[in-house]
Amino acid sequence: MIGRIQEKKLLQSLIEEEEAQFVAVFGRRRIGKTYLVRESFNYNFTFQHTGVSNNSIRTNRQKQAQLDKFRESLAEAGYQTGKKLSSWNEAFNALKEVIKRSPEKKKVIFIDELSWMDTRGSEMVSALESFWNGWVSARKEKDVILIVCASATYWMVNNIVNAKGGLHNRLTGQIFLKPFTLKECEEYVVSKNIILNRHQILQCYMVMGGVPYYWSLLKKGKSLSQNIDDLFFSQSAPLKNEYDNLYKALFDRPEQYIKIIEALSSVNKGISRDEIIRITAIPGSGSLTRKLDELENCGFIRKYIPYGYKSRNCLYQLIDNFTLFYFKFLRGNPSDDNFWSTQSSSPRIKAWSGLAFERICLEHTAQIKAALGIAGVHTEVNAWQCSADPDKGVMGSQIDLLIARKDQIINVCEMKYSDTGYVVDSAFDSSLRRKISDFKIKTETKYSIHPVLVTTYAVGNSSYASNLQAVITADDLFS
C-alpha cells in the first residue's frame, strides 16, 4: 500500500484494544477509503456491507432497496433472516445474531457508504445509535470493532463525527483520508512500473490531483499526453462523465452545489459569499452556508480569511484540480480523441498550467515550510489582496501564498510554473516589490518580509535573483 502509514497503523491497532471500537473513515469519492480498510484487515470481516447508490432507485423504494441489500450481506455472512427486513431496527438485530454466532475473537464489522443507507424517513441513524449504545457497548465481551465509511464527507461529519444525538462522542477514532501528495503519487507510478519524470508527475497532478483511483487508470508504455487523451478525451474515456457522477454521488440534490462550483470556477481567486449569491441567485440563508460547508468538507473548495481581515471577510475558492480541469478543457468542448497530444504546448494550456501549479503549491504548504526550514515553527498560512489606493501609494495587489511566522517573519511566496529554469527578470522583481510595498502600507506590519520564489526548476543566473530570500523548486514539493 502506498502511503496511509498512520491510518493503516491506527486500524490494525484496533485488534489489540480491550474495549469495543467505533471508527469513522471519511473522505472524498475515489480517495481509497474502502481499499484502506480492506487492506488493513486483510479482507477478513465478520460482516461487511456497502450501501446502494440511491440515484438508480425510485424514491418510494429507497429504504426497502437498502434493507434488501443489507439482508443479502447478512446471508453472505452466514445468517438467513427468513423474511424481508422491514426496518433498520430489524436489520441491526439480525446483525447482532451474526456477531453472537461468530467464533472470531474480534468481530470486525465494516459498513461502507453508510450515508446512502440514510434514506428519507428511514430512521437508520437512530437504529445505529441503539445498536451501538444499547448493545455493542453493553456487551461484556467488548469484542466488536465497528468501522463506518462514506464518501459524503459532510454527512459523516454532521451525523457521526459531530453527532448531536445518541452518537455524540461515541467514536473511539476517526480517519479523514486525504488525497495523495506528489511524493505518494511518485511512489505509486514507480510501483506500477509507469515511467514518468517528476515534471510529468507534476503535470499529471495538475489534471487529477492526488485522487488514487484516477492515477490507477494510467497505462504504462504510454506518454503522459496519450494517457490524458485516453482518460478524458477519447470516445470511451473512463473519466469523461466523472464530473456529473462525482457530485451526484455525494449530494441527493446536486443542482445548487453545482451552481456554486460553477460560480467559483469562473474566477481564479477567492470570492465572497455575497458574490456567490449574486452569481448563483441562491438565497443567502443558512442553507447556502451549509452547502458551502459541505463543499469545503468534501475538499472541493477552501474557505480562508485574508491576512489582516475579520471572519466576515472570508473568501471561497475552488481548489479541486479535476473539477477545474473539467471546466477549462472538457465542458462544452467538441470531442477530439487527441486533444491533449496536439494542444499540450498551446498558450491556453500554458496559461492554465501556471494557475494549476499555484494550486499544487497551496496543497503542499507543509513541504514548502520544510524547505524553508520552518517545519517546527508555528505559522499561519494565508492569502492577501487589496484594491488600489492612490492616495496612499497602493497600486492594488494579490498574494496567493503568505506564511506568517511566530518568529516575526512573513514569507511572501510568488509561484511561477516553467518548463525550464525560470529567469528572474526586472518585471518579476518590480511586481514582487510592488506587492510587498502594498502589503506593508496596508497592514502596517512590523514583521520582516522575506520574498520567496516557488518554481519548477532552479532559477537561471540573474542579478535580480539575489533579492530573493529563498527559492523552492518542484523537487522540494516531492519531499
Side-chain angles (χ1 to χ4, degrees):
M1 182 186 294
I2 302 300
R4 317 308 196 198
I5 297 171
Q6 294 304 316
E7 293 88 350
K8 185 175 181 180
K9 183 178 179 181
L10 186 154
L11 289 172
Q12 291 180 332
S13 71
L14 301 178
I15 297 292
E16 306 303 323
E17 296 293 338
E18 296 181 358
E19 298 293 325
Q21 299 294 306
F22 184 8
V23 176
V25 181
F26 52 103
R28 63 165 288 167
R29 172 179 157 93
R30 312 285 205 184
I31 210 68
K33 301 178 297 297
T34 304
Y35 180 74
L36 168 68
V37 175
R38 288 176 175 169
E39 283 286 313
S40 296
F41 290 98
N42 199 27
Y43 295 78
N44 293 320
F45 301 99
T46 303
F47 174 82
Q48 63 175 318
H49 172 72
T50 301
V52 187
S53 172
N54 290 304
N55 291 326
S56 58
I57 307 171
R58 295 198 309 271
T59 303
N60 63 348
R61 286 207 71 253
Q62 287 179 349
K63 175 183 174 181
Q64 191 57 55
Q66 296 290 347
L67 287 168
D68 289 346
K69 189 66 177 178
F70 197 87
R71 182 168 178 260
E72 290 178 16
S73 297
L74 289 167
E76 290 172 6
Y79 180 73
Q80 297 287 347
T81 61
K83 61 176 182 177
K84 266 195 168 188
L85 298 171
S86 60
S87 72
W88 282 110
N89 279 323
E90 283 186 12
F92 282 108
N93 283 337
L95 179 55
K96 294 175 189 177
E97 294 302 317
V98 171
I99 293 170
K100 286 189 285 188
R101 294 182 183 191
S102 171
E104 296 158 328
K105 183 178 178 181
K106 288 287 186 178
K107 283 70 170 169
V108 184
I109 312 300
F110 177 34
I111 302 179
D112 201 1
E113 297 299 357
L114 182 69
S115 62
W116 287 345
M117 296 159 57
D118 185 30
T119 55
R120 184 171 299 180
S122 70
E123 298 184 346
M124 187 278 294
V125 174
S126 63
L128 177 63
E129 291 174 4
S130 177
F131 170 71
W132 178 260
N133 294 332
W135 192 77
V136 174
S137 297
R139 275 174 63 81
K140 180 181 179 181
E141 294 82 359
K142 309 294 184 185
D143 55 357
V144 174
I145 298 171
L146 173 61
I147 301 169
V148 296
C149 184
S151 296
T153 303
Y154 71 93
W155 186 94
M156 289 289 283
V157 170
N158 291 340
N159 292 279
I160 305 296
V161 178
N162 295 330
K164 299 290 192 295
L167 291 179
H168 178 66
N169 278 344
R170 292 299 188 268
L171 286 181
T172 58
Q174 56 181 281
I175 295 174
F176 175 38
L177 202 60
K178 296 181 180 180
F180 276 172
T181 62
L182 282 167
K183 182 178 187 297
E184 290 167 332
C185 288
E186 182 179 45
E187 291 174 357
Y188 184 83
V189 296
V190 169
S191 73
K192 296 297 182 182
N193 199 25
I194 298 171
I195 299 176
L196 296 174
N197 62 34
R198 281 189 166 179
H199 193 86
Q200 291 164 335
I201 293 172
L202 188 72
Q203 291 175 315
C204 193
Y205 204 96
M206 293 175 182
V207 175
M208 305 193 296
V211 180
Y213 173 74
Y214 300 163
W215 287 80
S216 74
L217 300 176
L218 295 173
K219 302 298 182 185
K220 67 179 181 179
K222 294 192 173 186
S223 70
L224 176 60
S225 294
Q226 288 174 319
N227 266 303
I228 292 175
D229 280 331
D230 288 349
L231 294 181
F232 297 99
F233 296 101
S234 69
Q235 293 298 315
S236 57
L239 295 177
K240 180 173 283 188
N241 299 316
E242 175 68 7
Y243 175 80
D244 290 332
N245 295 333
L246 183 60
Y247 292 93
K248 287 178 180 177
L250 294 175
F251 308 109
D252 289 336
R253 295 176 177 81
E255 295 79 12
Q256 289 195 336
Y257 296 91
I258 291 174
K259 275 189 175 182
I260 295 169
I261 291 294
E262 289 174 343
L264 295 175
S265 73
S266 65
V267 292
N268 294 325
K269 59 184 180 68
I271 60 176
S272 68
R273 190 174 186 274
D274 288 342
E275 289 176 290
I276 293 172
I277 293 169
R278 179 181 59 80
I279 296 170
T280 63
I282 297 174
S285 62
S287 176
L288 173 61
T289 301
R290 180 174 59 83
K291 288 179 173 61
L292 290 169
D293 288 344
E294 291 169 1
L295 288 168
E296 183 183 10
N297 285 332
C298 289
F300 295 114
I301 70 175
R302 72 165 179 148
K303 174 185 175 182
Y304 66 95
I305 303 168
Y307 182 86
Y309 286 80
K310 304 293 185 183
S311 59
R312 64 175 178 273
N313 302 114
C314 68
L315 300 177
Y316 297 89
Q317 183 180 20
L318 179 60
I319 57 169
D320 182 61
N321 301 63
F322 165 73
T323 300
L324 286 155
F325 175 78
Y326 167 83
F327 278 108
K328 190 68 176 179
F329 300 109
L330 293 173
R331 190 188 196 200
N333 284 350
S335 179
D336 180 355
D337 287 6
N338 302 304
F339 173 82
W340 205 254
S341 296
T342 57
Q343 299 293 319
S344 58
S345 299
S346 66
R348 179 186 177 193
I349 290 180
K350 284 186 177 295
W352 164 81
S353 296
L355 295 170
F357 180 68
E358 290 179 6
R359 289 195 302 274
I360 291 177
C361 292
L362 294 176
E363 293 175 278
H364 289 76
T365 54
Q367 288 77 8
I368 292 173
K369 287 176 58 180
L372 290 170
I374 58 171
V377 177
H378 176 73
T379 63
E380 290 184 9
V381 178
N382 220 313
W384 180 83
Q385 63 190 53
C386 72
S387 302
D389 188 348
D391 292 339
K392 292 185 177 180
V394 173
M395 300 180 67
S397 298
Q398 180 176 330
I399 299 171
D400 293 313
L401 179 55
L402 179 151
I403 304 174
R405 298 157 45 174
K406 192 73 172 178
D407 54 4
Q408 298 193 344
I409 291 174
I410 294 176
N411 292 112
V412 171
C413 301
E414 191 74 358
M415 297 165 281
K416 295 293 183 182
Y417 175 81
S418 177
D419 289 325
T420 57
Y422 185 78
V423 178
V424 181
D425 56 17
S426 60
F428 172 90
D429 185 67
S430 297
S431 173
L432 188 53
R433 285 177 179 272
R434 173 179 54 80
K435 291 182 179 183
I436 292 174
S437 174
D438 285 354
F439 181 77
K440 286 181 175 179
I441 293 170
K442 295 295 288 186
T443 65
E444 299 181 348
T445 182
K446 299 297 188 293
Y447 282 20
S448 298
I449 307 299
H450 285 198
V452 175
L453 172 62
V454 187
T455 186
T456 41
Y457 297 104
V459 299
N461 291 326
S462 163
S463 59
Y464 296 104
S466 62
N467 295 328
L468 297 167
Q469 291 294 303
V471 175
I472 310 297
T473 66
D475 280 343
D476 295 313
L477 301 182
F478 279 83
S479 63

